[in-house]
Amino acid sequence: MPPIAWVVVFFLAPLAIVWAYSFGQNQGLTEVDISGTFANYARALQPLYLGIFAKSIFVAGITTFLCLVIGFPVALSIVFASERWRAWILLLIMLPFWTNLLIRTYALIAVLRTQGYVNFTLEWFWNQGSWLMTLVGLEPLGDFTPLQLLYNNFAVVFGLVYVHLPFMVLPLYAALDRLDKSLIEASLDLGAGHIRTLFLIVVPLALPGIVSGIIITFVPALGAYLTPDLLGGPDSQMIANVIERQFKKANDWPFGAALSFLLMYATFAAIALRVYLTRGKPTADGHGI
């Protein structure tokens, strides 16, 4: 009973209140009349907000894809690392969780800004290249123009990949660690080669972990608020930023609640898709789930 009561009081009850607000309308500055209207959901389906939803899904999808492309080799290298190094690599993967997200985001700003570490390094190489060209009698390269790496869509995707990459690596590692390595050895002995073994043996057996990593990465990236708010520009806002403005600046709690639950419905759909895709699939140890 105590866990159930905790879930009801601190999760289901507040969620039910917000859900009820989505069917209401403002009455004055502080009151909400829950009249059962669907006007908020109809407004949320206007082209303006559908476009923001679509952009948020696209950015979250790009983030998830990049995390998968980067995270799969990392997880595979951890699995085949020695026992001595495996713990240290896992520690490095989980180390960012020990630091607050706000601090990590401001650290990214220091790295990506016009006078940040990236542009400082590029400027140093540019000046060295210009000096070498002058040394051999060629025209120098001229002044270095810093790259605009902040307050755009690139910064948002870069920040989201940086934040969510561990969410992809850890499920992949858990799935690959249960992999029967004798199957890989048999595939290589039969002449399949490393690439064919990867795509025909490793990937199918690790599919539950891949799908779990995609869902665990995609869902938080879809609802990300802080990263696009601090790193993005005027055209880089995602649906979570719009929801925040409805609750704070616009004081339109019913519409913000409707947008929130549309985002939650999309999350439930992603989880249901994960269950459907992994139903009856063999895991890395050869058993079904």
Side-chain angles (χ1 to χ4, degrees):
M1 287 300 297
I4 296 177
W6 181 276
V7 171
V8 170
V9 173
F10 293 103
F11 180 73
L12 294 180
L15 205 60
I17 294 174
V18 176
W19 182 75
Y21 278 170
S22 68
F23 298 100
Q25 53 187 355
N26 284 333
Q27 295 291 333
L29 295 177
T30 59
E31 296 182 2
V32 176
D33 178 25
I34 303 176
S35 58
T37 178
F38 286 89
N40 296 309
Y41 287 96
R43 179 184 172 190
L45 296 178
Q46 292 179 355
L48 173 63
Y49 299 104
L50 285 180
I52 299 175
F53 266 110
K55 181 176 182 178
S56 301
I57 293 173
F58 177 76
V59 171
I62 292 294
T63 300
T64 305
F65 174 76
L66 293 176
C67 286
L68 179 61
V69 171
I70 300 171
F72 196 90
V74 173
L76 203 59
S77 65
I78 297 175
V79 170
F80 287 97
S82 64
E83 292 293 335
R84 176 186 177 184
W85 289 104
R86 184 179 301 181
W88 287 104
I89 299 175
L90 286 174
L91 178 64
L92 291 176
I93 295 296
M94 294 183 291
L95 195 61
F97 291 121
W98 298 2
T99 307
N100 185 272
L101 176 60
L102 183 63
I103 297 176
R104 285 183 282 158
T105 305
Y106 276 113
L108 277 182
I109 294 177
V111 172
L112 299 177
R113 62 187 178 184
T114 304
Q115 301 297 326
Y117 295 108
V118 173
N119 278 311
F120 176 80
T121 304
L122 293 176
E123 184 177 9
W124 185 86
F125 280 108
W126 182 277
N127 292 334
Q128 296 304 312
S130 180
W131 176 78
L132 288 175
M133 294 183 68
T134 304
L135 188 64
V136 297
L138 299 176
E139 289 292 331
L141 297 175
D143 295 333
F144 173 76
T145 302
L147 299 179
Q148 299 298 321
L149 302 176
L150 265 183
Y151 311 122
N152 50 39
N153 293 325
F154 166 80
V156 173
V157 174
F158 185 88
L160 290 176
V161 170
Y162 167 73
V163 170
H164 295 94
L165 185 58
F167 293 104
M168 178 66 74
V169 173
L170 295 179
L172 290 176
Y173 165 73
L176 293 171
D177 190 46
R178 298 193 301 267
L179 186 67
D180 188 355
K181 297 180 177 60
S182 63
L183 298 176
I184 299 178
E185 296 174 358
S187 176
L188 294 175
D189 290 340
L190 293 173
H194 289 86
I195 301 299
R196 292 187 64 186
T197 299
L198 176 65
F199 286 100
L200 298 180
I201 304 297
V202 177
V203 171
L205 290 179
L207 184 60
I210 294 174
V211 176
S212 297
I214 289 175
I215 298 301
I216 294 173
T217 305
F218 179 81
V219 171
L222 181 62
Y225 158 72
L226 185 63
T227 301
D229 187 60
L230 294 180
L231 301 181
D235 62 338
S236 304
Q237 300 299 292
M238 297 176 64
I239 189 62
N241 305 106
V242 178
I243 294 173
E244 182 267 344
R245 284 196 295 269
Q246 301 305 318
F247 279 98
K248 289 187 176 181
K249 298 180 181 179
N251 196 32
D252 194 347
W253 286 31
F255 183 54
L259 290 174
S260 300
F261 266 86
L262 285 177
L263 185 62
M264 190 170 296
Y265 298 150
T267 302
F268 289 156
I271 296 174
L273 179 63
R274 185 261 181 191
V275 174
Y276 174 78
L277 291 176
T278 58
R279 183 177 56 186
K281 298 289 185 181
T283 59
D285 56 3
H287 296 86
I289 61 174

